[in-house]
Amino acid sequence: MIARSLRSVLALVLAAGSIAFSGAAEAAHAHSKQQLDEDIMDHRTMAEAHRKVADCLEAGKPEKECRAQLAKDCKGVGIGRSCGMKDRHKH
């Protein structure tokens, strides 16, 4: 009986801690309106660059040529050879 009550209390404490932690984590990642707008524009720029690569490949052009265009279109926005955002977010 005591063990069951103890488990119930422990479950409630863990649940409350999880909720509190998720709220704190969300607050820590809050963006200003300007940061959010910049992230949105960066995502749109990268999406357009990736669309152009798909069009390039569909047109039968060499992958090397299409990737070179991707690197040019993503310069200053994405990171790495594939123009991604991993570890680049400002939060």
Side-chain angles (χ1 to χ4, degrees), residues 27-63:
H29 290 286
H31 286 269
S32 71
K33 174 72 170 128
Q34 181 181 356
Q35 288 172 320
L36 184 59
D37 289 346
E38 288 173 7
D39 265 356
I40 291 168
M41 288 306 301
D42 288 348
H43 279 287
R44 291 188 191 285
T45 299
M46 287 188 294
E48 179 63 17
H50 282 271
R51 188 195 58 75
K52 286 180 180 179
V53 170
D55 291 347
C56 181
L57 293 169
E58 279 182 333
K61 295 179 182 175
E63 185 174 353

PDB file of all heavy atoms in Angstrom, residues 27-63:
ATOM      1  N   ALA A  27      10.851  28.512 -23.377  1.00  0.00           N
ATOM      2  CA  ALA A  27      11.159  29.915 -23.113  1.00  0.00           C
ATOM      3  C   ALA A  27      12.598  30.233 -23.523  1.00  0.00           C
ATOM      4  O   ALA A  27      12.884  31.313 -24.038  1.00  0.00           O
ATOM      5  CB  ALA A  27      10.938  30.239 -21.644  1.00  0.00           C
ATOM      6  N   ALA A  28      13.510  29.290 -23.309  1.00  0.00           N
ATOM      7  CA  ALA A  28      14.910  29.503 -23.667  1.00  0.00           C
ATOM      8  C   ALA A  28      15.086  29.598 -25.175  1.00  0.00           C
ATOM      9  O   ALA A  28      16.021  30.221 -25.658  1.00  0.00           O
ATOM     10  CB  ALA A  28      15.767  28.379 -23.105  1.00  0.00           C
ATOM     11  N   HIS A  29      14.187  28.985 -25.949  1.00  0.00           N
ATOM     12  CA  HIS A  29      14.283  29.001 -27.403  1.00  0.00           C
ATOM     13  C   HIS A  29      13.384  30.062 -28.037  1.00  0.00           C
ATOM     14  O   HIS A  29      13.214  30.065 -29.239  1.00  0.00           O
ATOM     15  CB  HIS A  29      13.922  27.627 -27.982  1.00  0.00           C
ATOM     16  CG  HIS A  29      14.957  26.589 -27.695  1.00  0.00           C
ATOM     17  ND1 HIS A  29      16.156  26.559 -28.332  1.00  0.00           N
ATOM     18  CD2 HIS A  29      14.968  25.562 -26.826  1.00  0.00           C
ATOM     19  CE1 HIS A  29      16.875  25.560 -27.883  1.00  0.00           C
ATOM     20  NE2 HIS A  29      16.185  24.933 -26.961  1.00  0.00           N
ATOM     21  N   ALA A  30      12.819  30.929 -27.240  1.00  0.00           N
ATOM     22  CA  ALA A  30      11.923  31.952 -27.768  1.00  0.00           C
ATOM     23  C   ALA A  30      12.702  32.868 -28.715  1.00  0.00           C
ATOM     24  O   ALA A  30      13.831  33.247 -28.445  1.00  0.00           O
ATOM     25  CB  ALA A  30      11.309  32.753 -26.641  1.00  0.00           C
ATOM     26  N   HIS A  31      12.106  33.181 -29.820  1.00  0.00           N
ATOM     27  CA  HIS A  31      12.714  34.052 -30.821  1.00  0.00           C
ATOM     28  C   HIS A  31      12.082  35.427 -30.746  1.00  0.00           C
ATOM     29  O   HIS A  31      10.895  35.567 -30.482  1.00  0.00           O
ATOM     30  CB  HIS A  31      12.445  33.519 -32.236  1.00  0.00           C
ATOM     31  CG  HIS A  31      13.237  32.318 -32.604  1.00  0.00           C
ATOM     32  ND1 HIS A  31      14.449  32.409 -33.220  1.00  0.00           N
ATOM     33  CD2 HIS A  31      12.995  31.008 -32.456  1.00  0.00           C
ATOM     34  CE1 HIS A  31      14.921  31.198 -33.450  1.00  0.00           C
ATOM     35  NE2 HIS A  31      14.053  30.323 -32.984  1.00  0.00           N
ATOM     36  N   SER A  32      12.861  36.425 -31.063  1.00  0.00           N
ATOM     37  CA  SER A  32      12.271  37.735 -31.272  1.00  0.00           C
ATOM     38  C   SER A  32      11.586  37.694 -32.638  1.00  0.00           C
ATOM     39  O   SER A  32      11.852  36.798 -33.447  1.00  0.00           O
ATOM     40  CB  SER A  32      13.354  38.814 -31.265  1.00  0.00           C
ATOM     41  OG  SER A  32      14.147  38.737 -32.437  1.00  0.00           O
ATOM     42  N   LYS A  33      10.738  38.624 -32.902  1.00  0.00           N
ATOM     43  CA  LYS A  33      10.049  38.689 -34.192  1.00  0.00           C
ATOM     44  C   LYS A  33      11.067  38.793 -35.329  1.00  0.00           C
ATOM     45  O   LYS A  33      10.936  38.140 -36.355  1.00  0.00           O
ATOM     46  CB  LYS A  33       9.087  39.883 -34.198  1.00  0.00           C
ATOM     47  CG  LYS A  33       8.409  40.147 -35.520  1.00  0.00           C
ATOM     48  CD  LYS A  33       7.366  39.117 -35.838  1.00  0.00           C
ATOM     49  CE  LYS A  33       6.546  39.565 -37.034  1.00  0.00           C
ATOM     50  NZ  LYS A  33       6.472  38.574 -38.072  1.00  0.00           N
ATOM     51  N   GLN A  34      12.108  39.583 -35.118  1.00  0.00           N
ATOM     52  CA  GLN A  34      13.136  39.749 -36.147  1.00  0.00           C
ATOM     53  C   GLN A  34      13.882  38.438 -36.395  1.00  0.00           C
ATOM     54  O   GLN A  34      14.115  38.063 -37.548  1.00  0.00           O
ATOM     55  CB  GLN A  34      14.126  40.828 -35.736  1.00  0.00           C
ATOM     56  CG  GLN A  34      15.207  41.062 -36.776  1.00  0.00           C
ATOM     57  CD  GLN A  34      16.215  42.121 -36.366  1.00  0.00           C
ATOM     58  OE1 GLN A  34      16.066  42.741 -35.325  1.00  0.00           O
ATOM     59  NE2 GLN A  34      17.222  42.321 -37.178  1.00  0.00           N
ATOM     60  N   GLN A  35      14.246  37.710 -35.329  1.00  0.00           N
ATOM     61  CA  GLN A  35      14.940  36.433 -35.498  1.00  0.00           C
ATOM     62  C   GLN A  35      14.058  35.439 -36.227  1.00  0.00           C
ATOM     63  O   GLN A  35      14.527  34.702 -37.098  1.00  0.00           O
ATOM     64  CB  GLN A  35      15.342  35.854 -34.142  1.00  0.00           C
ATOM     65  CG  GLN A  35      16.482  36.589 -33.465  1.00  0.00           C
ATOM     66  CD  GLN A  35      16.691  36.095 -32.045  1.00  0.00           C
ATOM     67  OE1 GLN A  35      15.728  35.832 -31.315  1.00  0.00           O
ATOM     68  NE2 GLN A  35      17.941  35.981 -31.654  1.00  0.00           N
ATOM     69  N   LEU A  36      12.783  35.403 -35.871  1.00  0.00           N
ATOM     70  CA  LEU A  36      11.850  34.499 -36.524  1.00  0.00           C
ATOM     71  C   LEU A  36      11.723  34.830 -38.006  1.00  0.00           C
ATOM     72  O   LEU A  36      11.775  33.939 -38.858  1.00  0.00           O
ATOM     73  CB  LEU A  36      10.486  34.558 -35.838  1.00  0.00           C
ATOM     74  CG  LEU A  36       9.435  33.598 -36.353  1.00  0.00           C
ATOM     75  CD1 LEU A  36       9.897  32.155 -36.213  1.00  0.00           C
ATOM     76  CD2 LEU A  36       8.130  33.808 -35.603  1.00  0.00           C
ATOM     77  N   ASP A  37      11.596  36.113 -38.328  1.00  0.00           N
ATOM     78  CA  ASP A  37      11.498  36.529 -39.734  1.00  0.00           C
ATOM     79  C   ASP A  37      12.758  36.156 -40.513  1.00  0.00           C
ATOM     80  O   ASP A  37      12.678  35.720 -41.663  1.00  0.00           O
ATOM     81  CB  ASP A  37      11.240  38.036 -39.834  1.00  0.00           C
ATOM     82  CG  ASP A  37       9.836  38.425 -39.401  1.00  0.00           C
ATOM     83  OD1 ASP A  37       8.971  37.526 -39.280  1.00  0.00           O
ATOM     84  OD2 ASP A  37       9.610  39.631 -39.153  1.00  0.00           O
ATOM     85  N   GLU A  38      13.928  36.312 -39.883  1.00  0.00           N
ATOM     86  CA  GLU A  38      15.182  35.945 -40.536  1.00  0.00           C
ATOM     87  C   GLU A  38      15.242  34.437 -40.792  1.00  0.00           C
ATOM     88  O   GLU A  38      15.660  34.002 -41.866  1.00  0.00           O
ATOM     89  CB  GLU A  38      16.375  36.384 -39.688  1.00  0.00           C
ATOM     90  CG  GLU A  38      16.592  37.883 -39.674  1.00  0.00           C
ATOM     91  CD  GLU A  38      17.670  38.310 -38.686  1.00  0.00           C
ATOM     92  OE1 GLU A  38      18.353  37.438 -38.104  1.00  0.00           O
ATOM     93  OE2 GLU A  38      17.821  39.526 -38.489  1.00  0.00           O
ATOM     94  N   ASP A  39      14.839  33.647 -39.800  1.00  0.00           N
ATOM     95  CA  ASP A  39      14.822  32.196 -39.978  1.00  0.00           C
ATOM     96  C   ASP A  39      13.885  31.786 -41.104  1.00  0.00           C
ATOM     97  O   ASP A  39      14.215  30.925 -41.924  1.00  0.00           O
ATOM     98  CB  ASP A  39      14.395  31.487 -38.686  1.00  0.00           C
ATOM     99  CG  ASP A  39      15.563  31.045 -37.825  1.00  0.00           C
ATOM    100  OD1 ASP A  39      16.721  31.211 -38.248  1.00  0.00           O
ATOM    101  OD2 ASP A  39      15.312  30.526 -36.728  1.00  0.00           O
ATOM    102  N   ILE A  40      12.720  32.403 -41.160  1.00  0.00           N
ATOM    103  CA  ILE A  40      11.745  32.095 -42.214  1.00  0.00           C
ATOM    104  C   ILE A  40      12.333  32.410 -43.585  1.00  0.00           C
ATOM    105  O   ILE A  40      12.256  31.595 -44.509  1.00  0.00           O
ATOM    106  CB  ILE A  40      10.424  32.865 -41.982  1.00  0.00           C
ATOM    107  CG1 ILE A  40       9.717  32.302 -40.746  1.00  0.00           C
ATOM    108  CG2 ILE A  40       9.530  32.813 -43.228  1.00  0.00           C
ATOM    109  CD1 ILE A  40       8.556  33.157 -40.260  1.00  0.00           C
ATOM    110  N   MET A  41      12.950  33.573 -43.725  1.00  0.00           N
ATOM    111  CA  MET A  41      13.538  33.947 -45.013  1.00  0.00           C
ATOM    112  C   MET A  41      14.686  33.004 -45.391  1.00  0.00           C
ATOM    113  O   MET A  41      14.821  32.621 -46.551  1.00  0.00           O
ATOM    114  CB  MET A  41      14.034  35.404 -44.986  1.00  0.00           C
ATOM    115  CG  MET A  41      12.902  36.418 -44.989  1.00  0.00           C
ATOM    116  SD  MET A  41      11.717  36.184 -46.352  1.00  0.00           S
ATOM    117  CE  MET A  41      12.770  36.342 -47.768  1.00  0.00           C
ATOM    118  N   ASP A  42      15.488  32.614 -44.405  1.00  0.00           N
ATOM    119  CA  ASP A  42      16.584  31.672 -44.683  1.00  0.00           C
ATOM    120  C   ASP A  42      16.037  30.332 -45.169  1.00  0.00           C
ATOM    121  O   ASP A  42      16.550  29.748 -46.122  1.00  0.00           O
ATOM    122  CB  ASP A  42      17.456  31.470 -43.443  1.00  0.00           C
ATOM    123  CG  ASP A  42      18.311  32.685 -43.120  1.00  0.00           C
ATOM    124  OD1 ASP A  42      18.404  33.604 -43.966  1.00  0.00           O
ATOM    125  OD2 ASP A  42      18.889  32.721 -42.007  1.00  0.00           O
ATOM    126  N   HIS A  43      14.979  29.857 -44.518  1.00  0.00           N
ATOM    127  CA  HIS A  43      14.369  28.588 -44.945  1.00  0.00           C
ATOM    128  C   HIS A  43      13.817  28.711 -46.361  1.00  0.00           C
ATOM    129  O   HIS A  43      13.970  27.795 -47.177  1.00  0.00           O
ATOM    130  CB  HIS A  43      13.255  28.165 -43.988  1.00  0.00           C
ATOM    131  CG  HIS A  43      13.756  27.485 -42.758  1.00  0.00           C
ATOM    132  ND1 HIS A  43      14.259  26.207 -42.752  1.00  0.00           N
ATOM    133  CD2 HIS A  43      13.824  27.915 -41.475  1.00  0.00           C
ATOM    134  CE1 HIS A  43      14.606  25.873 -41.521  1.00  0.00           C
ATOM    135  NE2 HIS A  43      14.364  26.896 -40.725  1.00  0.00           N
ATOM    136  N   ARG A  44      13.184  29.833 -46.668  1.00  0.00           N
ATOM    137  CA  ARG A  44      12.638  30.024 -48.016  1.00  0.00           C
ATOM    138  C   ARG A  44      13.757  30.091 -49.061  1.00  0.00           C
ATOM    139  O   ARG A  44      13.628  29.531 -50.148  1.00  0.00           O
ATOM    140  CB  ARG A  44      11.779  31.287 -48.077  1.00  0.00           C
ATOM    141  CG  ARG A  44      10.484  31.167 -47.303  1.00  0.00           C
ATOM    142  CD  ARG A  44       9.569  32.367 -47.542  1.00  0.00           C
ATOM    143  NE  ARG A  44       8.457  32.399 -46.628  1.00  0.00           N
ATOM    144  CZ  ARG A  44       7.391  31.613 -46.685  1.00  0.00           C
ATOM    145  NH1 ARG A  44       7.303  30.714 -47.632  1.00  0.00           N
ATOM    146  NH2 ARG A  44       6.417  31.736 -45.802  1.00  0.00           N
ATOM    147  N   THR A  45      14.846  30.759 -48.715  1.00  0.00           N
ATOM    148  CA  THR A  45      15.987  30.853 -49.630  1.00  0.00           C
ATOM    149  C   THR A  45      16.564  29.472 -49.898  1.00  0.00           C
ATOM    150  O   THR A  45      16.844  29.107 -51.054  1.00  0.00           O
ATOM    151  CB  THR A  45      17.073  31.772 -49.033  1.00  0.00           C
ATOM    152  OG1 THR A  45      16.521  33.081 -48.862  1.00  0.00           O
ATOM    153  CG2 THR A  45      18.299  31.843 -49.933  1.00  0.00           C
ATOM    154  N   MET A  46      16.722  28.690 -48.842  1.00  0.00           N
ATOM    155  CA  MET A  46      17.267  27.341 -49.013  1.00  0.00           C
ATOM    156  C   MET A  46      16.303  26.439 -49.768  1.00  0.00           C
ATOM    157  O   MET A  46      16.732  25.628 -50.597  1.00  0.00           O
ATOM    158  CB  MET A  46      17.633  26.739 -47.660  1.00  0.00           C
ATOM    159  CG  MET A  46      18.888  27.385 -47.093  1.00  0.00           C
ATOM    160  SD  MET A  46      19.489  26.576 -45.623  1.00  0.00           S
ATOM    161  CE  MET A  46      18.170  26.930 -44.504  1.00  0.00           C
ATOM    162  N   ALA A  47      15.020  26.576 -49.505  1.00  0.00           N
ATOM    163  CA  ALA A  47      14.031  25.761 -50.224  1.00  0.00           C
ATOM    164  C   ALA A  47      14.091  26.063 -51.721  1.00  0.00           C
ATOM    165  O   ALA A  47      14.052  25.152 -52.555  1.00  0.00           O
ATOM    166  CB  ALA A  47      12.632  26.024 -49.672  1.00  0.00           C
ATOM    167  N   GLU A  48      14.208  27.334 -52.057  1.00  0.00           N
ATOM    168  CA  GLU A  48      14.302  27.728 -53.473  1.00  0.00           C
ATOM    169  C   GLU A  48      15.585  27.170 -54.097  1.00  0.00           C
ATOM    170  O   GLU A  48      15.575  26.680 -55.235  1.00  0.00           O
ATOM    171  CB  GLU A  48      14.256  29.252 -53.602  1.00  0.00           C
ATOM    172  CG  GLU A  48      14.363  29.764 -55.022  1.00  0.00           C
ATOM    173  CD  GLU A  48      13.208  29.338 -55.927  1.00  0.00           C
ATOM    174  OE1 GLU A  48      12.153  28.914 -55.429  1.00  0.00           O
ATOM    175  OE2 GLU A  48      13.380  29.426 -57.159  1.00  0.00           O
ATOM    176  N   ALA A  49      16.679  27.221 -53.359  1.00  0.00           N
ATOM    177  CA  ALA A  49      17.946  26.687 -53.875  1.00  0.00           C
ATOM    178  C   ALA A  49      17.834  25.180 -54.110  1.00  0.00           C
ATOM    179  O   ALA A  49      18.304  24.675 -55.136  1.00  0.00           O
ATOM    180  CB  ALA A  49      19.080  26.993 -52.895  1.00  0.00           C
ATOM    181  N   HIS A  50      17.190  24.470 -53.207  1.00  0.00           N
ATOM    182  CA  HIS A  50      17.024  23.021 -53.371  1.00  0.00           C
ATOM    183  C   HIS A  50      16.064  22.704 -54.528  1.00  0.00           C
ATOM    184  O   HIS A  50      16.262  21.729 -55.249  1.00  0.00           O
ATOM    185  CB  HIS A  50      16.538  22.385 -52.063  1.00  0.00           C
ATOM    186  CG  HIS A  50      17.639  22.216 -51.066  1.00  0.00           C
ATOM    187  ND1 HIS A  50      18.426  21.097 -51.014  1.00  0.00           N
ATOM    188  CD2 HIS A  50      18.085  23.048 -50.089  1.00  0.00           C
ATOM    189  CE1 HIS A  50      19.312  21.239 -50.028  1.00  0.00           C
ATOM    190  NE2 HIS A  50      19.126  22.419 -49.461  1.00  0.00           N
ATOM    191  N   ARG A  51      15.051  23.533 -54.711  1.00  0.00           N
ATOM    192  CA  ARG A  51      14.141  23.346 -55.846  1.00  0.00           C
ATOM    193  C   ARG A  51      14.897  23.501 -57.159  1.00  0.00           C
ATOM    194  O   ARG A  51      14.710  22.736 -58.111  1.00  0.00           O
ATOM    195  CB  ARG A  51      12.981  24.338 -55.780  1.00  0.00           C
ATOM    196  CG  ARG A  51      11.894  24.056 -56.843  1.00  0.00           C
ATOM    197  CD  ARG A  51      10.929  25.203 -57.034  1.00  0.00           C
ATOM    198  NE  ARG A  51      11.585  26.442 -57.426  1.00  0.00           N
ATOM    199  CZ  ARG A  51      12.062  26.692 -58.654  1.00  0.00           C
ATOM    200  NH1 ARG A  51      11.981  25.785 -59.598  1.00  0.00           N
ATOM    201  NH2 ARG A  51      12.629  27.843 -58.919  1.00  0.00           N
ATOM    202  N   LYS A  52      15.794  24.488 -57.200  1.00  0.00           N
ATOM    203  CA  LYS A  52      16.591  24.697 -58.413  1.00  0.00           C
ATOM    204  C   LYS A  52      17.489  23.496 -58.699  1.00  0.00           C
ATOM    205  O   LYS A  52      17.690  23.130 -59.854  1.00  0.00           O
ATOM    206  CB  LYS A  52      17.439  25.962 -58.288  1.00  0.00           C
ATOM    207  CG  LYS A  52      16.646  27.246 -58.417  1.00  0.00           C
ATOM    208  CD  LYS A  52      17.574  28.442 -58.285  1.00  0.00           C
ATOM    209  CE  LYS A  52      16.834  29.749 -58.406  1.00  0.00           C
ATOM    210  NZ  LYS A  52      17.749  30.910 -58.244  1.00  0.00           N
ATOM    211  N   VAL A  53      18.026  22.876 -57.645  1.00  0.00           N
ATOM    212  CA  VAL A  53      18.850  21.678 -57.839  1.00  0.00           C
ATOM    213  C   VAL A  53      18.006  20.556 -58.420  1.00  0.00           C
ATOM    214  O   VAL A  53      18.434  19.854 -59.345  1.00  0.00           O
ATOM    215  CB  VAL A  53      19.512  21.224 -56.514  1.00  0.00           C
ATOM    216  CG1 VAL A  53      20.166  19.860 -56.672  1.00  0.00           C
ATOM    217  CG2 VAL A  53      20.532  22.239 -56.053  1.00  0.00           C
ATOM    218  N   ALA A  54      16.801  20.393 -57.890  1.00  0.00           N
ATOM    219  CA  ALA A  54      15.907  19.350 -58.419  1.00  0.00           C
ATOM    220  C   ALA A  54      15.606  19.608 -59.892  1.00  0.00           C
ATOM    221  O   ALA A  54      15.653  18.680 -60.714  1.00  0.00           O
ATOM    222  CB  ALA A  54      14.610  19.311 -57.603  1.00  0.00           C
ATOM    223  N   ASP A  55      15.320  20.860 -60.246  1.00  0.00           N
ATOM    224  CA  ASP A  55      15.057  21.206 -61.644  1.00  0.00           C
ATOM    225  C   ASP A  55      16.281  20.932 -62.512  1.00  0.00           C
ATOM    226  O   ASP A  55      16.165  20.417 -63.636  1.00  0.00           O
ATOM    227  CB  ASP A  55      14.659  22.681 -61.776  1.00  0.00           C
ATOM    228  CG  ASP A  55      13.302  22.992 -61.167  1.00  0.00           C
ATOM    229  OD1 ASP A  55      12.541  22.042 -60.861  1.00  0.00           O
ATOM    230  OD2 ASP A  55      13.013  24.197 -60.967  1.00  0.00           O
ATOM    231  N   CYS A  56      17.447  21.270 -61.986  1.00  0.00           N
ATOM    232  CA  CYS A  56      18.705  21.054 -62.699  1.00  0.00           C
ATOM    233  C   CYS A  56      18.915  19.565 -62.981  1.00  0.00           C
ATOM    234  O   CYS A  56      19.230  19.170 -64.108  1.00  0.00           O
ATOM    235  CB  CYS A  56      19.854  21.618 -61.860  1.00  0.00           C
ATOM    236  SG  CYS A  56      21.500  21.462 -62.579  1.00  0.00           S
ATOM    237  N   LEU A  57      18.719  18.748 -61.957  1.00  0.00           N
ATOM    238  CA  LEU A  57      18.893  17.300 -62.125  1.00  0.00           C
ATOM    239  C   LEU A  57      17.854  16.719 -63.070  1.00  0.00           C
ATOM    240  O   LEU A  57      18.161  15.862 -63.899  1.00  0.00           O
ATOM    241  CB  LEU A  57      18.834  16.606 -60.760  1.00  0.00           C
ATOM    242  CG  LEU A  57      19.997  16.916 -59.811  1.00  0.00           C
ATOM    243  CD1 LEU A  57      19.687  16.387 -58.418  1.00  0.00           C
ATOM    244  CD2 LEU A  57      21.295  16.344 -60.344  1.00  0.00           C
ATOM    245  N   GLU A  58      16.608  17.218 -62.968  1.00  0.00           N
ATOM    246  CA  GLU A  58      15.550  16.748 -63.880  1.00  0.00           C
ATOM    247  C   GLU A  58      15.870  17.079 -65.321  1.00  0.00           C
ATOM    248  O   GLU A  58      15.498  16.342 -66.234  1.00  0.00           O
ATOM    249  CB  GLU A  58      14.200  17.374 -63.510  1.00  0.00           C
ATOM    250  CG  GLU A  58      13.496  16.703 -62.381  1.00  0.00           C
ATOM    251  CD  GLU A  58      12.134  17.330 -62.095  1.00  0.00           C
ATOM    252  OE1 GLU A  58      11.913  18.520 -62.377  1.00  0.00           O
ATOM    253  OE2 GLU A  58      11.287  16.601 -61.571  1.00  0.00           O
ATOM    254  N   ALA A  59      16.581  18.190 -65.519  1.00  0.00           N
ATOM    255  CA  ALA A  59      16.943  18.609 -66.873  1.00  0.00           C
ATOM    256  C   ALA A  59      18.085  17.760 -67.436  1.00  0.00           C
ATOM    257  O   ALA A  59      18.484  17.948 -68.594  1.00  0.00           O
ATOM    258  CB  ALA A  59      17.339  20.086 -66.873  1.00  0.00           C
ATOM    259  N   GLY A  60      18.607  16.842 -66.610  1.00  0.00           N
ATOM    260  CA  GLY A  60      19.651  15.944 -67.084  1.00  0.00           C
ATOM    261  C   GLY A  60      21.057  16.501 -66.971  1.00  0.00           C
ATOM    262  O   GLY A  60      22.005  15.926 -67.512  1.00  0.00           O
ATOM    263  N   LYS A  61      21.204  17.612 -66.293  1.00  0.00           N
ATOM    264  CA  LYS A  61      22.540  18.194 -66.127  1.00  0.00           C
ATOM    265  C   LYS A  61      23.345  17.373 -65.122  1.00  0.00           C
ATOM    266  O   LYS A  61      22.779  16.691 -64.271  1.00  0.00           O
ATOM    267  CB  LYS A  61      22.425  19.641 -65.652  1.00  0.00           C
ATOM    268  CG  LYS A  61      21.768  20.546 -66.682  1.00  0.00           C
ATOM    269  CD  LYS A  61      21.653  21.965 -66.182  1.00  0.00           C
ATOM    270  CE  LYS A  61      20.949  22.831 -67.218  1.00  0.00           C
ATOM    271  NZ  LYS A  61      20.711  24.189 -66.727  1.00  0.00           N
ATOM    272  N   PRO A  62      24.661  17.437 -65.205  1.00  0.00           N
ATOM    273  CA  PRO A  62      25.511  16.677 -64.277  1.00  0.00           C
ATOM    274  C   PRO A  62      25.313  17.127 -62.824  1.00  0.00           C
ATOM    275  O   PRO A  62      25.126  18.317 -62.550  1.00  0.00           O
ATOM    276  CB  PRO A  62      26.936  16.994 -64.732  1.00  0.00           C
ATOM    277  CG  PRO A  62      26.816  17.603 -66.081  1.00  0.00           C
ATOM    278  CD  PRO A  62      25.443  18.190 -66.176  1.00  0.00           C
ATOM    279  N   GLU A  63      25.361  16.152 -61.916  1.00  0.00           N
ATOM    280  CA  GLU A  63      25.172  16.455 -60.495  1.00  0.00           C
ATOM    281  C   GLU A  63      26.188  17.482 -60.010  1.00  0.00           C
ATOM    282  O   GLU A  63      25.852  18.373 -59.217  1.00  0.00           O
ATOM    283  CB  GLU A  63      25.281  15.177 -59.668  1.00  0.00           C
ATOM    284  CG  GLU A  63      24.974  15.407 -58.207  1.00  0.00           C
ATOM    285  CD  GLU A  63      24.945  14.128 -57.386  1.00  0.00           C
ATOM    286  OE1 GLU A  63      25.025  13.032 -57.960  1.00  0.00           O
ATOM    287  OE2 GLU A  63      24.841  14.247 -56.161  1.00  0.00           O
TER     288      GLU A  63
END
